[in-house]
Amino acid sequence: MNSITPLLQGLDLACIRDDRSLFSELSFVLGAGEVLLLEGENGSGKTSLLRILCGFREPDAGQVSWCGGAISTSAYRANMAFVGHLDGVKKELTVLENLRVALALGQGNGGSLDAALARVNLAGYQDVLISALSAGQKRRLSLARLLVTAKCLWILDEPFTSLDKQGIQLTEQLMSEHCAQGGMIVLTSHHPIQLTHGAVQRISLSSCL
Amino acid sequence: MYAFFAIVRRDLRLALRKRAEIINPLLFFVLVITLFPLGVGAKPMLLQAIAPGIIWVSALLAAMLSLDSLFRSDFDDGALEQLVLSPQPLSVLVLGKILAHWLVTGLPLVIIAPLLAILLGLSAKTISILLITLLLGTPVLSLIGAIGVALTVGLRRGGMILSLLVLPLYVPVLIFAANAVEMAQLGLPVMAQINMLAAMLVLACVLAPWPTAAALKMSMS
Amino acid sequence: MKFIPDPIGKFFHRMASPPHFYALAGQMIPWLTGIFLVLLGYGLFAGLYLAPTDYQQGDSYRIIYIHVPSAWMSLFIYIVMALAGAIGLIWRIKLAEIMAISSASVGASFTFIALVTGSLWGKPMWGTWWVWDARLTSELILLFLYLGVMGLYNAIDDKRTASKAVAILALVGVVNIPIIHYSVEWWNTLHQGPTVTKMDKPSIHISMLIPLLTMAVAFKFYYVIAVLQRARLELLQRERTSAWVKKLVMEQSK
């Protein structure tokens, strides 16, 4: 994936929202093949923390670094992919057109789009408009986006919502494979996750309340 | 560069699939211009005299109203997040989006303008100058407007504030463009005004994508 | 930050620390107010009483002692606002952000005063309250720019985000102001001819100039006072969760 060993680090992070301190002095180190699971109730700051890691929000204190550098660089963005609660796909375009745009924005890993779609059980949906897909199918499409782009760090906000049992299993399997290849994942989830590969670190945010 | 064209292609395709967004500003433009004779009376001399102003003010308002569609849907469905997270420079992607937006909202105005100019009694030579000013001026409106939309896209009721932000910045374009058409009517040289508009277009192309990109990043938080 | 030597950088950071600024501004305001009142008193006395009557305009010209300094301030404050905004954007200094937004309403007020006094002056000079004169028109557009800045700041709930938005907008405005000004001037000469250049006053007698400059300096002091007051309030509001504000409130309520 990348010649330098990837390393995502958060140091003394704090987030204040509407006069309420969501968390403070939060630190973590995430290395290759590791998973960071953020737990906590609604409103405990999970999504805020993810948005800080994406660089959308600035932390109110502390800093996030990628391989020792700032995360506002394109080098960081070339290595990370984010799947939020919004799918980020255009519903007037077809599955294939959406994936092609994603490829143009990031960089592909050379794998074929059809293979990726087959991997997430969307084979044969290439020319279907997104507006005709179910919520679960859209979720799986965003997994396909992760598969066709060569990103080392996945940041996933509630990846298991609106997925059925097989969908959840598939997601866990893909995450395990990603970790086995030296990738790293940050995710929030209400569900317990079961991975065959990857050391899982947990941060519980509700304790800071 | 590849990403730039991918964005332009994507947005053009999207516009083709929801045509209402192309038609609406165009209809607005035509309607406002038809309202003027009804308001000031069907006096050919008067209409001819204020035609440059009418056409340009209407074009300004139509361009402003069409701005909302520039980033709105991308913001709502999360595509904007993906744009901001792309390793490609955001200002280049933004320029692609503005180009596509102008092609589907600005260019139709330019194409239909001669028809409306005939309704208001402009001569053929004046119409050709009008076309040049519209071709040079409306992209500037899109470029400047993009800054305003990027600043307000995260707000639920950004419409009113958008006009407050954007319209004062449109003043120079309005002055030079409407004046060029007026001078052309009188048979006077208009090269100076055309040159000014061209200079503004170049300046806006180079400068406007930066604050737009910065404002979009800000709107993400 | 790299190009600024370390001690200077540290000095600025200490100056820009909210509690320090709050206390310092509080100490400075009485002094500034004193200087302002002295300057204002002298300026008004000299302008309204000592300065001779203009042979063309009679006593009505005396409104320039308010109008001209306000017009100068309106532009000056916009530039200060954009600079403060840029500093806030680049170096993430919270105080610069606060200075920028605190300047906006003061600047808008000066712009408004310049417009009103200009129009009052116009009545005896041109016989009508409003003329589409280049200066008045530019001033009016400047007022819209200020209102846009203030409107945007109020529309965004998160004040840190709002400060960034305001800084971007102010910078865009600062690039555009010369273009707007030039185009309005050009438009005006085309449509009306240079009839109103009387306002330029190429030669002004020294006894009229001194009160004018005094008033200009007095207005600058007023701006500093107003902006510091607003900045202190804004600072308290933004830092209301921090320890120093809580301590301050405890001490005050004793």
Side-chain angles (χ1 to χ4, degrees), chain A residues 82 88 90 92 97 105, chain B residues 17 73-74 77 82 86 220:
Chain A
F82 169 65
K90 307 303 294 182
E92 294 85 0
E97 285 165 345
L105 289 177
Chain B
R17 292 190 191 164
S73 75
D74 280 0
D77 63 20
Q82 300 300 333
S86 158
M220 289 288 103

Side-chain angles (χ1 to χ4, degrees), chain A residues 51 54 56-57 74 77-78 80 82-83 86-90 92-94 97 101 104-106 129 145 151, chain B residues 2-3 6 10 13-14 17-18 73-79 81-88 93 220-221:
Chain A
R51 296 189 78 80
C54 289
F56 289 142
R57 235 185 116 84
S74 72
R77 292 198 297 272
M80 65 87 78
F82 169 65
V83 178
L86 297 170
D87 294 305
V89 293
K90 307 303 294 182
E92 294 85 0
L93 298 183
T94 66
E97 285 165 345
V101 172
L105 289 177
L129 287 180
R145 174 161 67 79
K151 309 281 188 155
Chain B
Y2 177 62
R10 184 198 77 160
R13 192 173 281 153
L14 278 173
R17 292 190 191 164
K18 346 178 238 195
S73 75
D74 280 0
F75 183 81
D76 288 342
D77 63 20
E81 286 175 350
Q82 300 300 333
L83 278 192
V84 173
L85 286 180
S86 158
Q88 314 288 342
L93 302 179
M220 289 288 103
S221 61

Side-chain angles (χ1 to χ4, degrees), chain A residues 2 4 6-10 13 28 30 36 49-57 63-82 106-107 150-156 184-186, chain B residues 84-88:
Chain A
N2 203 328
I4 338 159
L7 189 70
L8 182 73
Q9 230 174 336
L13 296 174
F28 66 88
L30 190 68
L36 180 65
L49 181 55
L50 283 194
R51 296 189 78 80
I52 287 172
L53 295 182
C54 289
F56 289 142
R57 235 185 116 84
Q63 54 190 5
V64 185
S65 62
W66 171 256
C67 302
I71 57 165
S72 53
T73 58
S74 72
Y76 174 64
R77 292 198 297 272
N79 279 306
M80 65 87 78
F82 169 65
Q107 60 209 140
K151 309 281 188 155
C152 161
L153 169 65
W154 291 359
I155 297 184
L156 314 173
M184 47 218 271
I185 300 172
V186 179
Chain B
V84 173
L85 286 180
S86 158
Q88 314 288 342

Side-chain angles (χ1 to χ4, degrees), chain A residues 16 18-20 57-60, chain C residues 92 158 160 164 237-238 240-241:
Chain A
I16 301 169
D18 302 329
D19 285 348
R20 213 158 55 87
R57 235 185 116 84
E58 276 173 44
D60 288 283
Chain C
R92 304 288 146 82
D158 179 42
R160 274 179 73 204
K164 265 192 212 166
Q237 202 161 19
R238 279 205 205 182
R240 59 187 177 268
T241 52

Side-chain angles (χ1 to χ4, degrees), chain A residues 89 91 117-118 122 145 170 178 189:
Chain A
V89 293
K91 61 180 191 302
L117 284 175
L122 281 176
R145 174 161 67 79
L170 174 71
H178 184 61
S189 175

